[in-house]
Amino acid sequence: MAEPKVTIEQKPNDKWACFLHLPQVADPLDLGKEFKTEERAEAWLDTSEAVTAIDVITRKHKA
């Protein structure tokens, strides 16, 4: 089974967001925060808030 991964992508509103890709879910899941720069989004991934968001979403979509 493939491992979950997180990507940083630019949204249509020109802001950056983090998306969780789970093998059992077809579309990427937005982690719920938007940032002005890609660097800020990347830095957010190292926070406990990001880790908690990833854990909650992963548990919610557990197969």
Side-chain angles (χ1 to χ4, degrees):
M1 184 160 115
E3 288 292 314
K5 75 175 189 174
V6 176
T7 59
I8 299 170
E9 301 171 26
Q10 193 167 22
K11 296 176 92 176
N13 65 0
D14 289 331
K15 293 198 176 183
W16 294 85
C18 302
F19 293 88
L20 179 63
H21 300 262
L22 297 173
Q24 67 271 25
V25 180
D27 295 322
L29 303 163
D30 191 335
L31 293 179
K33 296 279 275 187
E34 292 184 344
F35 304 90
K36 291 183 179 183
T37 66
E38 184 177 10
E39 291 77 20
R40 286 185 183 219
E42 190 172 332
W44 180 75
L45 288 174
D46 291 330
T47 67
S48 61
E49 182 182 9
V51 172
T52 300
I54 291 168
D55 288 346
V56 168
I57 292 171
T58 301
R59 274 190 244 122
K60 182 179 177 183
H61 289 90
K62 197 165 190 167

